[in-house]
């Protein structure tokens, strides 16, 4: 943990768990900032993997669901790493730079992915894999004023650009990588900051009005917005189509690990369940069975308490129905709803 950054965050009201700022004691203010202003969340505990050398794009193209061969420096994408049977390992964001690709990966999946890549690297491959997580801090700005915060510090308003596009910019005298996307469905951006300048950049952001937001609130928003996470929605039990990650999958590209299974599921409409939100009338436990009447139709994979009530993520059998479905989750009644992170995807029910 960067001690200087931790000291500043402590002065902002942070409490820590495993060196992660989990709360700033300001949930109502931070939620409002994501809707009306800008919140800043420290995601430095996420993994950052650098893939370099001449075969880097080909390697990632063959290893994951999206099309890397068409990407140019300054561009990026969301992609999913899957097993040969198309079970999900992680949802990652890739940024293609001039001589490498940076992968922003989930906190619990960094080491596993590095070992996974090593398993598929052959002596002739010109690919180098390096964990650079400790060299950078990751700050996500969430909310409609995110770009204005960057403009105040850089003197340049970032142009409208596709998700995961990125460029080097200077915030006052500190060079950072500005990337499009907050990691959630809410608009925003993510900064990749050299670790020795992390405290300075955090202070700049909060002094220009960004409201600090802890990891617990990030997790609450993740669930409300429907971003699937490893160990919850992304496990050996589910594939990326069931998880609603259609926009991360290229159906036109050639062979990759898990491709045959995914292509078959798509071609034969074999997606038997889908990820949705559920509004609940009370507390529920992870893993609770979801029922319609006496019929088991799904499972609760994530749960959170919000200012508006209780909310969860559920996998529901497609034949059971979708949005508007009244369900029983354990002993609690609920209603299935769409979630923003997945709402631009289309399904056959």
């Amino acid at each position: 943990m960067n001690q200087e950054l931790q000291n500043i965050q402590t002065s902002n009201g942070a409490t820590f768990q495993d060196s992660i700022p989990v709360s700033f004691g300001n949930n109502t203010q931070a939620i409002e900032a994501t809707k009306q202003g800008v919140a800043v969340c420290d995601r430095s505990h996420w993994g950052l993997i650098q893939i370099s050398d001449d075969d880097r794009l080909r390697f990632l193209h063959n290893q994951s669901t999206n099309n890397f061969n068409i990407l140019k420096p300054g561009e990026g994408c969301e992609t999913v790493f899957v097993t040969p049977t198309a079970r999900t390992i992680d949802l990652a964001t890739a940024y293609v730079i001039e001589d490498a690709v940076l992968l922003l990966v989930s906190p619990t999946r960094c080491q596993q992915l590095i070992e996974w890549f090593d398993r598929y690297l052959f002596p002739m491959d010109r690919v180098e894999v390096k964990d650079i997580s400790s060299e950078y801090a990751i700050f996500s700005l969430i909310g409609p004023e995110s770009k204005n915060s960057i403009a105040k510090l850089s003197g340049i308003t970032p142009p409208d650009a596709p998700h995961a596009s990125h460029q080097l910019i200077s915030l006052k005298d500190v060079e950072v990588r500005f990337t499009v996307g907050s990691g959630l469905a809410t608009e925003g951006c993510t900064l990749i900051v050299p670790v020795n300048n992390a405290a300075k950049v955090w202070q700049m952001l909060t002094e220009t009005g960004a409201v600090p937001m802890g990891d617990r609130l990030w997790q609450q928003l993740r669930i409300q917005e429907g971003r699937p996470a490893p160990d919850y929605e992304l496990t050996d039990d589910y594939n990326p189509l069931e998880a609603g990650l259609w926009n991360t999958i290229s159906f036109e590209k050639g062979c990759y690990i898990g491709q045959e299974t995914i292509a078959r599921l798509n071609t034969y409409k074999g997606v038997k369940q889908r990820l949705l939100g559920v509004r609940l009338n009370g507390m529920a436990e992870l893993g609770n069975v979801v029922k319609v009447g006496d019929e088991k139709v799904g499972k609760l994979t994530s749960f959170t308490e919000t200012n508006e009530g209780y909310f969860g993520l559920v996998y529901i059998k497609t034949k059971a129905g979708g949005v508007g479905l009244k369900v029983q989750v354990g002993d609690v009644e609920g209603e299935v709803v769409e979630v923003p992170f997945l709402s631009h995807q289309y399904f056959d029910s």
Side-chain angles (χ1 to χ4, degrees):
M1 177 68 189
N2 183 318
Q3 190 59 52
E4 188 183 2
L5 176 60
Q6 188 167 355
N7 290 344
I8 289 174
Q9 290 173 338
T10 300
S11 73
N12 295 150
T15 53
F16 294 86
Q17 189 172 317
D18 298 325
S19 299
I20 300 167
V22 291
S23 174
F24 287 86
N26 64 346
N27 284 4
T28 302
Q29 184 190 3
I31 286 285
E32 189 60 27
T34 68
K35 297 174 181 174
Q36 307 288 340
V38 57
V40 58
C41 183
D42 184 355
R43 295 170 65 201
S44 302
H45 58 292
W46 286 56
L48 192 64
I49 300 172
Q50 178 180 281
I51 312 289
S52 57
D53 215 339
D54 293 350
D55 293 334
R56 59 190 181 276
L57 289 177
R58 180 191 60 78
F59 178 72
L60 287 168
H61 189 84
N62 295 340
Q63 285 288 321
S64 71
T65 56
N66 221 327
N67 189 341
F68 278 82
N69 286 344
I70 61 172
L71 295 177
K72 306 284 190 295
E75 297 176 340
C77 68
E78 303 278 352
T79 196
V80 183
F81 293 94
V82 296
T83 69
T85 55
R87 301 306 181 177
T88 49
I89 300 171
D90 197 19
L91 167 64
T93 309
Y95 306 108
V96 177
I97 59 179
E98 286 72 15
D99 57 356
V101 180
L102 305 180
L103 293 176
L104 182 60
V105 304
S106 300
T108 59
R109 289 296 183 266
C110 189
Q111 189 56 40
Q112 182 180 343
L113 280 169
I114 286 172
E115 291 168 6
W116 181 263
F117 295 152
D118 190 55
R119 187 187 309 176
Y120 287 96
L121 276 175
F122 299 100
M124 295 296 288
D125 288 329
R126 289 170 297 175
V127 176
E128 184 179 341
V129 178
K130 185 181 180 187
D131 182 355
I132 58 170
S133 308
S134 62
E135 298 174 32
Y136 292 90
I138 310 291
F139 300 148
S140 283
L141 297 176
I142 306 157
E145 292 298 312
S146 299
K147 277 190 178 181
N148 288 341
S149 282
I150 297 300
K152 286 177 192 172
L153 294 170
S154 68
I156 303 164
T157 300
D160 288 330
H163 180 78
S165 300
H166 55 97
Q167 63 187 93
L168 289 174
I169 62 171
S170 290
L171 302 184
K172 297 187 176 175
D173 59 343
V174 179
E175 188 175 70
V176 304
R177 187 166 298 278
F178 167 90
T179 78
V180 177
S182 67
L184 298 167
T186 304
E187 67 181 293
C189 59
T190 296
L191 304 178
I192 301 174
V193 183
V195 71
N196 58 331
N197 284 317
K200 190 173 185 179
V201 170
W202 180 271
Q203 185 141 12
M204 282 186 213
L205 293 168
T206 54
E207 285 176 352
T208 55
V211 177
M213 186 178 99
D215 185 63
R216 282 191 197 126
L217 200 50
W218 164 275
Q219 294 300 332
Q220 178 188 314
L221 290 174
R222 173 193 81 73
I223 296 166
Q224 286 180 277
E225 297 192 5
R227 177 182 172 125
D231 302 321
Y232 295 91
E233 293 73 38
L234 305 181
T235 71
D236 285 345
D237 296 325
Y238 309 108
N239 63 61
L241 301 183
E242 293 169 333
L245 300 173
W246 294 72
N247 66 324
T248 70
I249 298 166
S250 169
F251 291 102
E252 285 73 47
K253 68 182 261 188
C255 190
Y256 62 90
I257 293 172
Q259 182 258 344
E260 287 184 8
T261 301
I262 288 173
R264 192 165 58 246
L265 287 167
N266 182 52
T267 301
Y268 298 106
K269 308 215 178 301
V271 179
K272 306 295 187 204
Q273 56 191 338
R274 57 182 283 202
L275 184 62
L276 288 161
V278 62
R279 285 201 193 96
L280 295 162
N281 292 343
M283 296 278 288
E285 291 186 17
L286 292 187
N288 270 163
V289 170
V290 180
K291 289 185 175 181
V292 175
D294 292 330
E295 184 186 1
K296 178 182 173 183
V297 298
K299 179 181 175 182
L300 181 72
T301 55
S302 284
F303 174 82
T304 188
E305 185 175 354
T306 76
N307 289 339
E308 294 84 43
Y310 303 100
F311 195 86
L313 292 177
V314 286
Y315 276 101
I316 297 282
K317 290 179 181 177
T318 51
K319 66 180 182 182
V323 174
L325 186 69
K326 300 290 195 287
V327 294
Q328 192 82 13
V329 181
D331 299 326
V332 178
E333 293 179 351
E335 180 180 350
V336 173
V337 297
E338 196 62 88
V339 279
F341 196 84
L342 308 174
S343 62
H344 58 291
Q345 309 301 343
Y346 298 94
F347 301 82
D348 293 315
S349 31

